Amino acid sequence: MKTEGYAICLIHNLLGLSRVPHSLMDVALPAFCAIAWLGYFPSVTISIIGLITASAAYLAVYGLNDLVDLFNDREKAKLTVANQQGYIDAMLPIHPVAAGKLSFKASFIWIFGLILIALIGDYILNPMTIVI
């Protein structure tokens, strides 16, 4: 039971690290624009692979941003108490690594896994997108 609680807490912090609500909104707009540009919905397979790939890439970027800004985020947390009410990312922990709720190692593994998923999806859809 204790490990189950730890796993839920870990997942909660990893999702906060990657700012899941914000990331999913960031994926929705380009997906809508692509459909509008095409004039039709792509196949279900392409749509699913595309959404998984784009979501993994966005989640990795947001998580990587938190790791790069780790020391800056720690300093900001000491100086100010942020008003996070009404902030979409406040649904999950904000800057969990800087707050000491998530280890750097777990964050790094999470981000590396997301990058790997994004690269595999890119390769399946069109290998040239990896270069781009």
Side-chain angles (χ1 to χ4, degrees), residues 112-123:
F112 182 77
L114 290 169
I115 291 170
L116 192 59
I117 291 168
L119 288 173
I120 291 168
D122 281 339
Y123 184 79

Side-chain angles (χ1 to χ4, degrees), residues 1 6 8 11 34 42 48 52 64 66 71 78 84 102 104 110 112 117:
M1 189 67 136
Y6 174 77
I8 290 170
I11 291 168
I48 290 171
I52 289 170
L64 189 57
D66 263 19
F71 299 109
K78 290 177 191 174
Q84 299 170 355
L102 188 62
F104 186 89
W110 170 255
F112 182 77
I117 291 168

Side-chain angles (χ1 to χ4, degrees), residues 29-94:
L29 181 61
F32 175 75
C33 291
I35 291 167
W37 181 76
L38 282 172
Y40 61 90
F41 283 92
S43 71
V44 173
T45 303
I46 296 296
S47 296
I48 290 171
I49 294 171
L51 287 173
I52 289 170
T53 301
S55 296
Y58 265 95
L59 294 171
V61 167
Y62 277 115
L64 189 57
N65 177 57
D66 263 19
L67 290 187
V68 169
D69 285 345
L70 177 60
F71 299 109
N72 190 23
D73 291 339
R74 283 184 181 156
E75 289 302 314
K76 274 196 276 185
K78 290 177 191 174
L79 298 174
T80 61
V81 177
N83 178 8
Q84 299 170 355
Q85 186 177 1
Y87 183 53
I88 190 166
D89 290 334
M91 294 169 56
L92 295 166
I94 296 175

